[in-house]
């Protein structure tokens, strides 16, 4: 279950990276959808196949269970480096396209894309454990930022109908910390009471999170695009 859960996480994280690149493109009114997508996905695949080929079962719980599920599958180092090369070429094409932007460069988007390359291109080479921690933390912080942005915009447009949004939006950092503390206390409490309850809650909310994300965060929907500050999804 742990490996299946983490595999969902791994590719879910990559999907969110692509979504954030599309938000940057929409806000700037400039970007190439397919280059945004394939440059992101290929780095994700590069990191994953690197783990399969060069990772050992001794490098952490994920690799231990993954090797147990997949068994002794044939490893193809040539395939790994072919994906790395393809990802590098597409990223270069993406960068050329971004540098041709008529007005000033979209520096936040460039830095975000660089972080994706580092996380999935370099992270697996450094450490499996570090990759797990870094991608999980970046995903959480990105989600907090997106939800915070959405709440603030909803508060601006729906204040008369939902005054509680205004209160939440005015104290985003404090409310986020309080929520994180509550969830930590809940998880530790469940772990103390029953390991089954802890795992059921952790895995259940994780998979539910994947489903909700797929249903809610679709930038091509005009309403969702407007809520994250993208006037037209490009």
């Amino acid at each position: 279950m742990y490996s299946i859960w983490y595999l969902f996480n791994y590719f879910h994280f990559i999907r969110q990276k692509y979504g954030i690149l599309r938000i940057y493109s929409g806000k700037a009114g400039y970007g190439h959808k397919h280059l945004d997508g394939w440059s992101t996905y290929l780095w994700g695949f590069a990191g994953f196949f690197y783990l399969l080929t060069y990772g050992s079962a001794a490098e952490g719980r994920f690799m231990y269970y993954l090797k147990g599920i997949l068994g002794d599958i044939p490893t193809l180092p040539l395939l790994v480096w072919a994906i790395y090369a393809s990802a590098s070429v597409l990223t270069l094409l993406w960068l050329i396209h971004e540098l041709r932007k008529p007005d000033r460069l979209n520096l936040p988007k460039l830095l975000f894309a660089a972080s994706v390359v580092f996380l999935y291109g370099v992270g697996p080479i450094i450490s499996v454990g570090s990759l797990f921690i870094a991608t999980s933390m970046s995903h959480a912080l990105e989600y907090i930022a997106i939800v915070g942005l959405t709440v603030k915009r909803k508060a601006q447009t729906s204040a008369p109908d939902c005054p509680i949004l205004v209160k939440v939006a005015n104290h985003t950092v404090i409310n986020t910390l309080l929520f994180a503390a509550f969830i930590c206390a809940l998880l530790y409490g469940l772990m103390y009471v029953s390991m089954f309850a802890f795992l059921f809650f952790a895995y259940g909310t994780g998979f539910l999170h994947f489903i909700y994300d797929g249903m809610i965060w679709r930038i091509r929907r005009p309403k969702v695009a407007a809520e994250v500050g993208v006037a037209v999804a490009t």
Side-chain angles (χ1 to χ4, degrees), residues 21 91 94 108-122:
L21 279 180
T91 302
W94 175 89
K109 183 180 180 182
L110 294 176
L111 291 174
F112 183 80
S115 74
V116 173
V117 174
F118 182 81
L119 277 175
Y120 295 101
V122 181

Side-chain angles (χ1 to χ4, degrees), residues 19-48:
I20 292 176
L21 279 180
R22 297 306 301 147
I23 292 175
Y24 277 124
S25 295
K27 280 180 170 291
Y30 184 86
H32 193 290
K33 180 178 180 179
H34 296 302
L35 285 176
D36 282 349
W38 280 109
S39 60
T40 303
Y41 294 142
L42 274 178
W43 282 115
F45 283 119
F48 179 73

Side-chain angles (χ1 to χ4, degrees), residues 146-204:
I146 292 173
V147 172
L149 176 64
T150 303
V151 168
K152 285 187 175 183
R153 289 192 172 273
K154 278 182 173 290
Q156 293 171 0
T157 58
S158 308
D161 301 324
C162 193
I164 192 172
L165 279 177
V166 179
K167 295 181 179 179
V168 172
N170 289 336
H171 303 90
T172 304
V173 175
I174 294 175
N175 289 326
T176 299
L177 293 175
L178 289 174
F179 179 74
F182 170 76
I183 294 297
C184 288
L186 177 62
L187 288 172
Y188 275 105
L190 288 174
M191 189 185 300
Y192 178 79
V193 173
S194 167
M195 182 55 68
F196 174 80
F198 168 78
L199 293 175
F200 182 83
F201 179 83
Y203 290 138

